[in-house]
Amino acid sequence: MSDEESGWHLTESDPGVFTELLKSLGVPYIVDDLYSLDPDSLAALQPIHALVFLFKWLPTSGSEPDPASGAHFDPDFPGFFAQQVVNNACATLAVMNALGNIPSLPCGQPLQELFSFTTGMDAQTRGMVITSSDWLREAHNALSPPSAISLDGLGLPKTSEDAYHFIVYMPAMGCVYEFDGLKSHPIRHGAYEEKGEGWIAKAREAVEARIATYPPGSLEFSLLALRDDPIPSLQSRLKELQEAGRGNDAEAAELIVRLSNENSKRERWAFENALRRHNHLGLIHALLVALAKAGSLEPARDAARRKMEERVARRKEVGMDLDEE
């Protein structure tokens, strides 16, 4: 199914994009990048509700759960699970599969009504209902505007593109589950212990096992943490210290620094999301016109052509296709 037929656009694996999506759904959580699975890094972000894992999709990668690791399909899973039935919707499907299994989820009325409406449906029907929801598709596409230029119909050679896919690891009913919209059922990775790291330890094992199926040194992965927004609790604690006359002690100073970092992050996300929403075609056209008027357009075009020819020559020397760069 083409992008035009599905109506869903590709989504970046970016915490600002996911956080903005959560905001539009009325969910007071955020998403943060995870650069490490070590206990200290994860502990700093608690409470974490789910891990969103992006990976390069391969036909043989994780196609079936490994029983030796304790992973099994759970066709009787009583929670929320929706299958992906259209292209490019896997990011929002992953978020929905995560949110649908968080007890007492705070959310907006449209999302609450959607979860209520799909109660009791099978996974495929639930996926069809979700991806047919206009308001949800609009929220998804808001940060992934369609291209202003279409190359369809120009007879250009088709090139294969790597496919990437979002899935979720999270706790549900005492076990760690993997929710993959391309699978027929959720995958149960086994029970976890409440003490220590809790479900995170079991989820780490599952994520590391998935990564281990790729060649050593592969970097086609991204891991995000769905977590509580830390700003309200930081502000509350700082207010308590200030009211107790401890507004200048070390803990208060640390809280102020953390709040500043969080607010700076939000400002960066807002700026980047504004750029994503903006159509830069007008700016590009204006720059081309300015270069032409200054007599610099043809020299710039010739320089770009030379660089492309050099690039093609280098690729041919090492026996690589241009698309592999």
Side-chain angles (χ1 to χ4, degrees), residues 3 10 56-57 88 158-164 323:
D3 295 350
L10 288 173
K56 182 178 178 180
W57 184 85
N88 300 335
K158 298 294 184 180
T159 58
S160 60
E161 297 182 359
D162 291 333
Y164 287 83
D323 292 330

Side-chain angles (χ1 to χ4, degrees), residues 81-275:
F81 177 62
Q83 287 182 312
Q84 181 180 340
V85 296
V86 301
N87 286 350
N88 300 335
C90 64
T92 292
L93 256 293
V95 170
M96 294 292 286
N97 279 331
L99 298 180
N101 290 289
I102 297 176
S104 303
L105 174 75
C107 64
Q109 184 175 354
L111 181 60
Q112 188 177 41
E113 291 176 350
L114 184 59
F115 281 140
S116 178
F117 179 74
T118 59
T119 300
M121 293 181 178
D122 62 81
Q124 185 176 40
T125 303
R126 186 177 276 149
M128 293 176 64
V129 170
I130 288 174
T131 50
S132 297
S133 174
D134 291 338
W135 69 269
L136 185 58
R137 184 176 62 252
E138 290 170 2
H140 170 102
N141 290 344
L143 296 171
S144 303
S147 173
I149 300 176
S150 176
L151 302 180
D152 291 342
L154 299 181
L156 299 176
K158 298 294 184 180
T159 58
S160 60
E161 297 182 359
D162 291 333
Y164 287 83
H165 185 53
F166 291 94
I167 62 176
V168 167
Y169 295 93
M170 68 179 299
M173 292 164 283
C175 294
V176 168
Y177 277 87
E178 174 185 331
F179 299 114
D180 181 344
L182 296 182
K183 298 290 193 301
S184 57
H185 306 287
I187 296 175
R188 185 176 65 245
H189 286 276
Y192 62 89
E193 296 183 359
E194 294 289 350
K195 62 181 181 181
E197 291 185 88
W199 72 272
I200 290 291
K202 177 67 71 173
R204 180 191 295 112
E205 295 176 4
V207 172
E208 291 178 342
R210 170 61 68 88
I211 293 175
T213 64
Y214 288 76
S218 296
L219 299 175
E220 298 94 345
F221 312 104
S222 176
L223 191 61
L224 304 168
L226 174 64
R227 60 184 292 233
D228 283 359
D229 187 343
I231 287 182
S233 61
L234 292 174
Q235 290 175 331
S236 177
R237 179 55 181 164
L238 179 60
K239 183 179 179 180
E240 290 177 1
L241 293 176
Q242 291 172 338
E243 291 177 347
R246 297 175 52 195
N248 295 320
D249 66 10
E251 183 183 356
E254 181 183 355
L255 290 171
I256 291 172
V257 171
R258 291 175 62 185
L259 277 169
S260 177
N261 291 339
E262 290 294 333
N263 287 323
S264 296
K265 184 195 302 180
R266 303 306 194 283
E267 292 174 1
R268 185 180 72 253
W269 287 347
F271 175 74
E272 292 172 350
N273 287 338
L275 290 180

Side-chain angles (χ1 to χ4, degrees), residues 292-314:
K293 288 181 178 180
S296 302
L297 182 57
E298 290 190 8
R301 182 197 61 192
D302 294 339
R305 180 180 290 119
R306 287 194 299 273
K307 289 182 179 180
M308 176 58 72
E309 291 172 349
E310 293 171 359
R311 179 185 172 197
V312 171
R314 288 196 302 270

